[in-house]
Amino acid sequence: MTLLEPADVPLAGISAPIVAAAVLLAAIAIFSYVMLRRIQLLRAVLPDPRFSEIGRRIWLAIVYGFGQARQPRYLGAGIMHILLFAGFVILSLRSLTLIGRGFSSGFHLPLMTGSVGFAYEVLKDYVVLMVLVVCIVAMVRRAVFKPARYQHTGTSKGHGAEAYVILGMVSALMITDMIYDGSALAVGGHTSGAALFPAASLGAAFMGAASQSTLSVLHVAGYWAHILVFFTLLNYLPISKHFHVITAIPNVFFAKLNKGGIKPVRWGVDDWMELEECGVGRFEQFTWKHVLDFYSCADCGRCSDNCPAATVGRALSPRMISIKARDYVYEHYPVFSANKDPDDKPFTGNIVTEQEIWACTTCGACEQECPIFIEYIDKIVDMRRYLVEQGEMPVSLQKPLQQIKKKGNAYGATKTKRAEWTKALEGIQVKELQPGDATDTLFFVDSCGSFDPRIQEISKSFARILHRSGVEFGILGKDETDSGNEIRRLGEEGLFEQVSSKNIEAFQAREFREIVAFDPHAFNVIRNDYPVKFPVTHASQMLARFLEQGRITLKGNYLAGRLVTYHDPCYLGRHNGVYNEPRAVLGRIPGMHLREMHRSFTRSFCCSGGGPLLWYENEEEKERMGERRVKMAAEIGAQVIVTACPFCLINLEDAVKTTGNEGKIEVIDLVELVDRYLA
Amino acid sequence: MDIIVCVKRVPDTSEADLAIDKGGKDIQKGGLDYDINDWDRFAIEEAVLIKEKTGGKVTVVTVGDEDAEEMLREGLARGADEAFLLWDESFEGSDGYATAHILAAFLKQRSYDLVLTGTLADDDCGGQFGGMLAAMLGVPVATLVHKIEVKNGSITVRRELEAGLSERLDIDLPAVVSVATGINEPRFVSIRAVRKVASIEIPTVDRGELGLDEADVGSAGAKVEIEKVFLPPEGEGAEIIAGSPADAAARLAEILKEKGGIA
Amino acid sequence: MKTIYVLAEHRQQHLRDTTWDALAAGRDLAQKTGAELACLLLGSGVDAMADQLAKECPKVVVVDDPRLANFNSEPFVKTLTGLLAGQDSYVLVIGNSNSIIDLAPGLSVALDAALATDCIGFEVDGGKVKALRQIYSYKVNALVSFKGASRIVATLRSGFFSFAPSGAAPGAIEKVASPLGDEPLRKRFLSYVEAEKGDVDIASADIIVAIGRGIGDEEDLSMFESLADAMGGVVACSRPIVDKGLLPKYRQVGTSGVEVKPKVYLALGISGAFQHLGGIKGNPLIVAVNKDPRAPIFRAAQYGIVANLADVVPALEEKIKELKG
């Protein structure tokens, strides 16, 4: 016995295919219009060149878009998402099939006939059940266990209900499918048993007692309910936080490829100084990719969960920037009414507050974590550029920047004394390279290594190592200027251009094979931001190479059996992918006992930033990031924290004292440690 | 409200190692960085903040040669509308009195509601300019002001006294107000902000245009003269007060009393 | 010089210490130049203060006018100009204070006198008075001459002139009618405003009691507040105290905190990291108490005590109260 198929049952006297066509057309029309509005905005905002390296982009889309490779960083939620996404992909064929069945009762997609079609039917039935289970688990998880990272902070209206709406609709899709298929199964439409069609069988079991006429109504009603929910869901996506279902894969495809670098003030503009306004003050000054980011945020909270600023109580929560920005779009660029005039108050400083904007250390933990590659640093830098133009900058940062402007370093020291630290080196003459001089390795000391008494120790250690390695090297001395990594990230682009061009000029006036810096910030900015490219190496990479080549050998017992942990500096690890070389160097140290902290490699925890950020004072934080980091080291029983960044060193040494770990934990730079072991 | 801000360019001596010049009447200034006197930065900011509230115009003016132009340009970048450089070779060697004389001559040629300046300059540490200027202009003055409220035809200011005490004064306009550091948070001036005001012309006004006699300006017009300068003998670190804690404390109390450490 | 005048400063009917500084300097100058010494006391209802001054000064000139109750520079300048009109060959010595900064420069112009502010000493050379001042962030001493001026106004840095009772017979009190006319003042005193406790501005404080990590686990700061009150100063701190949440951020001295320009800086349990010392400007007298004799603060300080704070601070406060009488 079989039931009448929906296509064969007129609805209120209208033949089903006509109803199906009407529903389909209406849904597509609305959806197209909504998408058109959303795309209109993307076309109205500022340009952003994202079409280079298509091969790499396709690869990203495959691995991180379809492959969901970042999802398992949160294992439970990640697996659930992968299951849902897989279900979504598999069941999309089913949905297309069902749409077709409104027109013709025997509709099949091409190739979906015979055994392939049967296999798909079986697969789909399992997936339906799986998706339903995942949805229920997800709802229970949100309702009962309330993971902290889903909580909204700040003033924005909550979006928690949207999650239930979408999970409810997906569940409804599964249940209507089960009613549709189950009713057919219940009247014996299928010959196979429960093992092949668990979802349908479950549906059938619920409806087992129903009469045939009831079943036939359920069969048709289930179908139409499914179709209606499907199209409602489709149209709900671009007006909710679930837009990511549509935009996530394009967002991954258009991801930023030059990690570590900062975007120019405006793409496609030769002289930004000539611009009327610079940076992002109004929302419309974001680039289209940045707006696409806002569309795409799924509100999963992973960025903020990993944000060190958020962790210590600063005002920043990266996720809220996306959420508030999308709320702004949905409010000011509504789908069914005219665009609203921008408010009197600019976006920056109001929707996103100054406290949020200055709280960021640009450590990149948020971007590393985002499953769909939403960017934050460039946006924050763009907003800072606007604020700086308005004269707004935290007082604690103004002084170091003014010093850099006047003297080329934040320490307020005279530039002629930049090479003074070398005088304390016994038996080593460090060559101050003059214009026209040639050498093998140009040691870029940077302001911190030249003037900070603590960091000078690293400079000396590195000079000793270079000397021992036999490599010919020299420094720029008085011709060196602050590298400018933080200056650029604090939004003072004019000053960045000033310092970088001075350094570029100094580089170009000398011959060398490579530049080496022990400060990852200097390494990063020369590598990723300087408009002229020079070969640049981080000290840890050079040390690894020296050890590999046997240029230096290590001997001694400085660590004396103490347990060591390694702290990955943000600008070495996350921004430049240098994770292995420092560990390779540590591996060469006799008697090394290394234990990783729970947060290491890509999940390393920022210790509050380098350069002028050393002077930055945050009013809201309840704890200093460095203190949090030292506690993480203490948790695993580490007695020595090795890092490869002078600012991490300063911050962590400070934190060791303030957390009462003085005498219990030593902080040392990798370069210093190697120096202690020089045979 | 039209506000004229008088500023001064000074060498940054607070962090530098200083040495006495061969002549013995000044310090060696070769290696020093110059910048706007810190107190005057607050005066410009205050003027711009008042302008933003009440409208009007902010003018920045200094007595100095072309080296001072960069400082004035920074003032424009902070939001001032115009700037003037008062310079004539005969102005060289002016003390606080002669400088006040020059600026008074400039101000008498213009209309203004309020003159703002910093209370103290870090080079001569005199703290005299605002008061002298006001007296020469015949208008009231308040120094060490850390709050200004603009009213109709007058202002109410708060000025700092000692030990956390302030006084509130009502002052008729026009007036001279010397501000204290900390009256506001001066805005950050980016390289671009300075670049944006690069095209504003800063006129130089000379002695003739100000109608001043040579005898009134420069070292001739100065009321005081530096005979010699010298570095105070440098202490080799702290003198450690010996004895039991109680005895040491008693001795310390006497030292504090002697040195003005008890208000 | 014929006359050395000393202007008495008072607030709320009490002579301020600056008056005695000025009297000490005036007495010394009178002796060296052979000039007469006279005190000028301008105020409202000042008899008690006049008597107090007469004990130490051969002549006290008193002007009693309600408009002189507060140190409003406008009536003060007018009165003093009236008093000294037509006179020549005098030095008017005034202890420097925040009220006097408002007064002295305008007064010097009104008197057509030469002015030296914030003097730390005087030299008399062949009858000519020269003043010692500090310039360039108070790091350089300068000897200043007055180009033969016969009218000189000098204000004095407190702590550089120490007063001792003379034991001489009481001087005469001469009451002078107020030369102030009826024209309305263009500058009107409204009220005193006490800083709220939570509203302390350390940047402008002359006397600072700064505490640092060396206070140990002590969470009760009343001992330090009470010392600061006795000294007439305010409590400031270094970073660790802010980190512990004991004091708010705006009380932190340092390159990353507030820059201060006090006259006296008492550092209690502060080690003296350069970030902290960088926030202390204007070359104050630094006095340090720390139990670590090698603390770098002792290199920056002029006086130091190596001891536990708990042993020193209460004793210090007691002695200070005793000295204040």
Side-chain angles (χ1 to χ4, degrees), chain B residues 241-257 262, chain C residues 227 266 268 287 289 304-323:
Chain B
I241 303 167
S244 72
D247 291 349
R251 173 79 194 104
L252 180 57
E254 281 163 14
I255 293 169
L256 287 173
K257 166 94 180 154
I262 302 173
Chain C
L227 173 64
L266 177 58
L268 303 176
V287 178
V289 183
I305 296 178
V306 182
N308 279 319
L309 295 179
D311 297 334
V312 174
V313 174
L316 183 61
E317 185 189 333
E318 200 175 305
K319 184 75 184 170
I320 285 171
K321 283 182 174 159
E322 200 182 304
L323 288 174

Side-chain angles (χ1 to χ4, degrees), chain A residues 272-273 275-276 389 391 398 405-407 492 498, chain B residues 33 35 185-192 195-196:
Chain A
W272 66 275
M273 281 275 186
L275 288 172
E276 201 53 36
E389 168 123 323
Q398 292 195 16
K405 187 159 106 186
K406 276 195 283 178
K407 307 191 179 185
E492 179 32 326
Q498 193 172 306
Chain B
D33 291 296
D35 200 353
E185 282 183 4
R187 66 198 64 196
F188 182 75
V189 180
S190 64
I191 299 275
R192 184 175 131 98
R195 194 82 58 92
K196 271 178 139 179

